[in-house]
């Protein structure tokens, strides 16, 4: 452990503790939130919460954790991962279920970057050691199309494109019930769940999060929805539809009906990254990639259609 003491700079006046200290110390907001929960962040001698506001000139006392050693990438082939496109700048993959994008604490399963390494695909060295070349992510339980940067130029161009929201991210989701209206926009901020660290929730003061949707097909108990993401928050689609009381079928973490999931033989959320479009970092030409439904999602849909 190491301690830092310093005054709150004028530029952080009025900012939330997690956002301000993230900017000041170069830590993630999640790490800062964890420090506040343990009482390791004091302002003028008093412990503060992550959503408290900073006052310029106040005296900060922060007990920092020891830096973690980088997680090593294991070059292990990933069964079922398909390369849809590869050139000098990018590699586009179809990610199977049960595969994380990059290594992280507590995850011992297969990863996209490990699978690419095993296949001899060299990716960009930009980014944190365990997620070099990664410009966006999919949950381990979400399948579909994603891009990884191979060149440093592609990494910077694609990172900027995702930040500036010029990337077209299309998902298909099977949600419980029938959203009303059948076409709309969910604009609700998302933050880490106040009680469960592994979940997220719609929260006042969270990060702005915008999801556009349109029902493509309606069944007795569920609806197949086309989803466009304007932002890319962790678990965004799952959280937003759960907040509407229409969770993704099979998503027991966010309130899905276990009986329906069992009947459709689903062991994860019915959510698939269907399309991904962006300006190619080499020449600026628009490219788009499509991923077909994997067997478990296709079988669940076929069962619903046979009952309609």
């Amino acid at each position: 452990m190491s301690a830092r003491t310093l005054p709150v700079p004028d530029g952080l006046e009025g900012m939330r503790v997690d956002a301000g200290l993230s900017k000041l110390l170069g830590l993630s907001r999640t790490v800062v939130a964890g420090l506040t929960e343990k009482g390791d962040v004091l302002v003028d001698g008093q412990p503060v919460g992550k959503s408290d506001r900073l006052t310029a000139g106040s005296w900060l006392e922060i007990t920092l954790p020891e830096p973690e050693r980088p997680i090593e990438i294991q070059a292990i082939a990933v069964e079922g991962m398909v390369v849809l496109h590869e050139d000098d700048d990018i590699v586009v993959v179809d990610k199977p279920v049960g595969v994380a994008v990059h290594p992280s604490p507590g995850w011992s399963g297969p990863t996209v970057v490990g699978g690419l390494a095993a296949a001899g695909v060299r990716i960009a060295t930009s980014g944190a050691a365990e997620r070099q070349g990664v410009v966006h992510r999919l949950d381990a339980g979400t399948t579909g199309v994603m891009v990884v940067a191979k060149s440093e130029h592609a990494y910077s161009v694609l990172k900027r494109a995702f930040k500036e929201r010029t990337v077209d991210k299309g998902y298909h989701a099977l949600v419980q019930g029938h959203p009303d209206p059948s076409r709309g926009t969910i604009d609700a901020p998302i933050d880490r769940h106040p009680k469960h660290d592994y979940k997220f929730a719609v929260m006042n003061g969270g990060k702005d999060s915008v999801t556009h949707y349109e029902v493509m097909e309606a069944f007795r108990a569920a609806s197949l929805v086309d989803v466009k993401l304007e932002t890319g928050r962790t678990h965004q689609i799952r959280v937003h539809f759960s907040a509407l009381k229409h969770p993704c079928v099979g998503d027991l973490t966010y309130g899905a009906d276990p009986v329906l999931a069992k009947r459709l033989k689903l062991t994860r959320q019915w959510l698939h990254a269907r399309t991904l479009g962006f300006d190619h970092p080499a020449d600026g030409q628009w490219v788009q990639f499509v991923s077909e439904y994997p067997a478990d999602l296709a079988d669940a849909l076929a069962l619903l259609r046979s009952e309609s």
Side-chain angles (χ1 to χ4, degrees), residues 185-187 208-212 228-231 236 240:
T185 295
I186 310 165
D187 186 348
D208 68 303
S209 308
V210 181
T211 302
H212 307 286
K228 292 280 194 232
L229 286 188
E230 197 169 304
T231 52
Q236 180 172 320
H240 271 171

Side-chain angles (χ1 to χ4, degrees), residues 13-231:
E13 171 70 39
M15 288 185 74
R16 283 171 51 120
V17 167
D18 54 359
L21 296 194
S22 171
K23 188 175 180 181
L24 181 66
L25 302 171
L27 301 171
S28 72
R29 287 175 65 158
T30 305
V31 168
V32 175
L35 293 177
T36 62
E37 284 171 16
K38 291 189 289 184
D40 287 340
V41 180
L42 307 181
V43 174
D44 292 335
Q46 297 298 315
V48 291
K50 66 176 182 179
S51 56
D52 290 344
R53 300 287 169 172
L54 293 168
T55 305
S58 296
W59 201 252
L60 275 173
E61 297 174 65
I62 308 149
T63 304
L64 295 170
E66 291 299 328
E68 293 181 2
R69 284 184 293 181
I71 301 166
E72 283 188 25
I73 293 171
Q74 303 291 328
I76 300 172
V78 173
E79 186 179 347
M81 188 172 82
V82 177
V83 172
L84 299 175
H85 171 85
E86 184 184 358
D87 57 41
D88 290 343
D89 291 285
I90 60 173
V91 56
V92 179
V93 302
D94 199 344
K95 188 186 85 64
V97 68
V99 178
V101 173
H102 58 75
S104 61
W107 178 261
S108 57
T111 66
V112 170
V113 293
L116 290 174
V121 178
R122 296 189 63 174
I123 59 178
T125 56
S126 301
E130 72 277 9
R131 52 180 185 271
Q132 290 177 347
V134 173
V135 291
H136 72 127
R137 291 180 288 184
L138 297 176
D139 299 341
T142 299
T143 48
V145 61
M146 61 171 294
V147 62
V148 178
K150 287 182 64 179
S151 69
E152 310 310 317
H153 170 72
Y155 181 86
S156 60
V157 170
L158 288 172
K159 272 300 239 189
R160 186 166 64 247
F162 277 96
K163 186 176 182 181
E164 294 175 355
R165 305 178 185 177
T166 60
V167 178
D168 184 58
K169 296 174 283 186
Y171 291 74
H172 285 180
L174 185 69
V175 302
Q176 290 182 194
H178 306 102
D180 184 19
S182 60
R183 179 180 186 175
T185 295
I186 310 165
D187 186 348
I190 291 175
D191 207 342
R192 199 167 284 279
H193 195 285
K195 294 180 182 174
H196 306 290
D197 198 45
Y198 60 93
K199 289 173 66 174
F200 291 78
V202 169
M203 303 277 291
N204 286 330
K207 292 181 179 178
D208 68 303
S209 308
V210 181
T211 302
H212 307 286
Y213 72 90
E214 183 173 4
V215 174
M216 301 161 59
E217 196 173 350
F219 308 99
R220 217 175 308 166
S223 302
L224 182 63
V225 182
D226 181 54
V227 182
K228 292 280 194 232
L229 286 188
E230 197 169 304
T231 52

